[in-house]
Amino acid sequence: MLRFGGDYNPEQWPEEVWAEDLRLMSEAGVNMATVAVFAWSRLEPEQGAWDFAWLDRILDLLHEHGIDADLATATATPPPWLVRAHPEMMPVTADGVRLEFGSRQGYCPSSPVYRTHAVRLARTLATRYASHPALKMWHIGNEYADHTLECFCEVSAAHFRTWLEARYGTIGGLNAAWGTSCWGQLYTGFDQVEPPRTAPGPVNPAQLLDWRRFCSDALLELFEAEKAALREVTPDIPVTTNFMSILHGLDYWKWAAAEDLVTDDAYPDPADPESHVAIALSYDLMRSLKRQPWLLLESSPSAVSWRAVNAPKPPGMMRLHSLQALAHGSDGVMFFQWRQARFGPEKFHSALLPHGGTATRGWQETLQLGRDLKALAEVAGSYEQAQVALVLDWDSWWGLEAPESMPSDRLKLKELLLDWYRPLHARGIAVDLAPPGRDLTGYRLVIVPNLYLCTEESAKALSAFDGELVVGPFSGVVDAADQVHPGGAPGPLRDLLGVTVEEFWPLHDGVTQATTAGAARTWTEWIHATDAEVVARYRGGELDGRPAITRKGGVTYLSCRLDDPAPFLDTVLARADVHGVEVPRGVEAVRRAGHLFLLNHTTDPQRITLPQAGTDLLTATSRQGEIELAPRDAVVLRLEGRK
């Protein structure tokens, strides 16, 4: 079964509306609702004064209508009484400003007060609803790090010091890791260490890197604390929290290991004709985090409420975006939200049931999607490994984008990932993502867009891979403490790549550097091919004639960021014997375990020659040969030979 539904906030509506909600949910084919995400102040209007009656009735109604509950622990927003009793639990900015109550995620991640009350609430909910038949999944918090990633208060500072002491053991270990002999920063005790608050000049990049690690871990501790309370009472109910696509602030490899099911919130911009590419990359990350199906827990039926210009989704786009998530491994499509709100910051955010009710285009598209998901039920639960993987490492990302300490601030990891993902996506080639230490067995091609921070362990894992390996520029530069490897880049990758890097030559905006493999932008390097074949050279300028791209065995190194890597990629794909699906520009082809999704993201009809005959599950018709795909339409083929 594929999940279909969304966030349901009955506490925002009078009870006479609830019956209509459940009737219309049944009509639409909704089978799951996320409830109580922001309901702490309704569940506990005063400390210890519980009001569960309304939630009891909602869960009963959901079960009566065959709808499962993704029950939130309601800890995403602490209630006013708690904040007023403990104002010290509100987060503090790097400039020392304590934020005020009135939005959401109003808590310091290190606050023992918030943590104690959050765990108490989670345990109370678990105890009350452990045996309720509607309960099928726990939803802890909500979109961690969306509004509150970090806090610079004294409580956070003490927590940071504890974290550092556990990591380094002694103050001498910290001084060595942070290189505090630079700029006279030598510490003689952990009590002298503070978070990287606003300072007169650039902050120690090693301190910033550890702060990023700490902030991710501090929020994960909150999740784990609530999870432990739920596990005590409901050990068999799966636990999740909703991710936010490819988020800089949290190490999702680490977070996913703590979840039973990966869930994600995704909001591609309807006004951006290329947004489906970037969101496909994030979907592939979700599938790769646990190497199993995941669930799109929030998406938008039409316009959102938080962009400068909130464009609605044209007819057919909600369906198309939903089918795209399924193609990339989601076992359903959930939305924010069920009924469009009449008040609050999200009153103009679209919903499955719009302000205009059932006499709207939006409602008709909701009904259509419900029918489509029933027709596609057989894809649920299916997963298979791709032949190509992109390496993504949060430590490296955090180090790469540290402010005011790099040769250039123009190297952005998401952009480097998309440089490679975009042409792979256009060729209908499935892509996984992987952390640098993962076993890469089974892949034919692995691309490392950037691995600025590279440990000996990461280098060994890449060296053990026996397929085609491509490593991008500015890789192997520093170790886990953000210290340059002895001898410089590419550090522990030197023997694998057969090159040394003498100097980094970043390019200014608008400047390109010619190579025999095409133009380079943003970044170039002065390298020496010590034990590698030169595949391409720089042409013109100060680097004229010097190596630009090298190859040693099955390993290729790019010392530059190619403006168009597609021609080079085609050569690599041929070597790796990786083949995709030929489709017109703007059409997405995705294989999912014996099924082929063809998605037309353009506003024109497109003619496609099917690589294999099959049955279109959306229309229950046989398709083969050349077909015409209407604008924003889709075909989902069960390929012949598969049941």
Side-chain angles (χ1 to χ4, degrees), residues 262-503:
V262 168
T263 58
D264 187 39
D265 296 355
Y267 293 95
D269 188 351
D272 178 1
E274 296 296 318
S275 65
H276 65 281
V277 180
I279 209 66
L281 172 62
S282 70
Y283 290 162
D284 286 344
L285 172 63
M286 296 304 130
R287 187 190 65 247
S288 303
L289 286 171
K290 293 181 79 71
R291 290 185 278 191
Q292 65 185 34
W294 56 284
L295 178 61
L296 180 59
L297 201 57
E298 275 190 32
S299 53
S300 175
S302 190
V304 298
S305 59
W306 39 265
R307 292 190 175 103
V309 177
N310 294 301
K313 290 185 177 180
M317 187 175 280
M318 177 182 81
R319 176 180 186 255
L320 188 66
H321 283 179
S322 299
L323 296 177
Q324 183 187 26
L326 299 182
H328 289 270
S330 178
D331 268 358
V333 186
M334 304 280 285
F335 292 87
F336 184 85
Q337 56 182 326
W338 161 251
R339 181 184 283 270
Q340 196 166 13
R342 293 185 56 233
F343 45 77
E346 294 174 314
K347 60 182 176 292
F348 297 121
H349 193 295
S350 58
L352 290 172
L353 181 60
H355 285 143
T358 57
T360 57
R361 168 181 71 89
W363 177 247
Q364 294 307 310
E365 294 201 22
T366 295
L367 295 177
Q368 177 63 54
L369 182 57
R371 292 191 291 268
D372 288 338
L373 293 176
K374 288 181 180 177
L376 298 176
E378 66 182 59
V379 306
S382 60
Y383 167 83
E384 62 180 278
Q385 180 174 296
Q387 294 182 326
V388 177
L390 294 175
V391 171
L392 166 61
D393 176 53
W394 260 266
D395 277 356
S396 195
W397 187 0
W398 292 329
L400 176 69
E401 298 186 13
E404 301 184 85
S405 66
M406 307 300 282
S408 170
D409 66 358
R410 297 302 195 263
L411 279 183
K412 305 297 183 183
L413 190 62
K414 278 189 182 180
E415 294 176 4
L416 296 176
L417 285 167
L418 282 167
D419 282 351
W420 295 103
Y421 186 81
R422 194 175 288 111
L424 289 165
H425 178 271
R427 286 155 177 73
I429 295 172
V431 177
D432 288 347
L433 286 92
R438 177 175 286 179
D439 181 1
L440 300 171
T441 301
Y443 294 111
R444 295 186 178 182
L445 169 63
V446 171
I447 300 174
V448 186
N450 171 268
L451 197 60
Y452 164 74
L453 188 156
C454 182
T455 64
E456 294 288 348
E457 292 74 21
S458 297
K460 287 178 182 177
L462 292 176
S463 298
F465 175 61
D466 62 359
E468 284 288 323
L469 177 65
V470 175
V471 178
F474 205 45
S475 293
V477 181
V478 299
D479 62 14
D482 202 28
Q483 298 191 7
V484 175
H485 286 291
L493 298 174
R494 190 174 296 118
D495 290 342
L496 176 66
L497 301 178
V499 302
T500 60
V501 180
E502 184 170 330
E503 286 183 309

Side-chain angles (χ1 to χ4, degrees), residues 587-604:
V587 175
E588 183 175 12
V590 188
R591 294 183 184 270
R592 180 174 178 179
H595 298 84
L596 176 63
F597 287 70
L598 296 169
L599 311 165
N600 183 4
H601 293 280
T602 77
T603 55
D604 297 310

Side-chain angles (χ1 to χ4, degrees), residues 167-292:
R167 181 175 180 86
Y168 295 112
T170 66
I171 196 64
L174 180 140
N175 281 317
W178 284 13
T180 55
S181 57
C182 179
W183 283 14
Q185 296 179 0
L186 187 71
Y187 297 101
T188 56
F190 281 102
D191 60 321
Q192 299 169 359
V193 180
E194 296 288 344
R197 300 187 180 98
T198 303
V203 175
N204 187 333
Q207 181 184 10
L208 287 173
L209 175 58
D210 271 342
W211 178 251
R212 293 269 67 82
R213 290 165 170 155
F214 162 75
C215 290
S216 179
D217 285 356
L219 283 169
L220 183 55
E221 285 181 22
L222 293 182
F223 174 84
E224 293 273 26
E226 289 190 44
K227 174 185 168 184
L230 298 175
R231 279 281 194 266
E232 291 174 12
V233 185
T234 57
D236 298 324
I237 301 297
V239 171
T240 192
T241 189
N242 43 339
F243 289 166
M244 299 181 65
S245 299
I246 304 181
L247 184 69
H248 177 264
L250 302 182
D251 183 346
Y252 279 161
W253 297 116
K254 202 176 217 181
W255 276 71
E259 290 189 306
D260 297 313
L261 173 69
V262 168
T263 58
D264 187 39
D265 296 355
Y267 293 95
D269 188 351
D272 178 1
E274 296 296 318
S275 65
H276 65 281
V277 180
I279 209 66
L281 172 62
S282 70
Y283 290 162
D284 286 344
L285 172 63
M286 296 304 130
R287 187 190 65 247
S288 303
L289 286 171
K290 293 181 79 71
R291 290 185 278 191
Q292 65 185 34

Side-chain angles (χ1 to χ4, degrees), residues 124-139:
T124 300
L125 285 166
T127 300
R128 186 172 188 89
Y129 297 112
S131 60
H132 199 288
L135 176 61
K136 292 296 184 292
M137 184 164 69
W138 285 113
H139 178 110

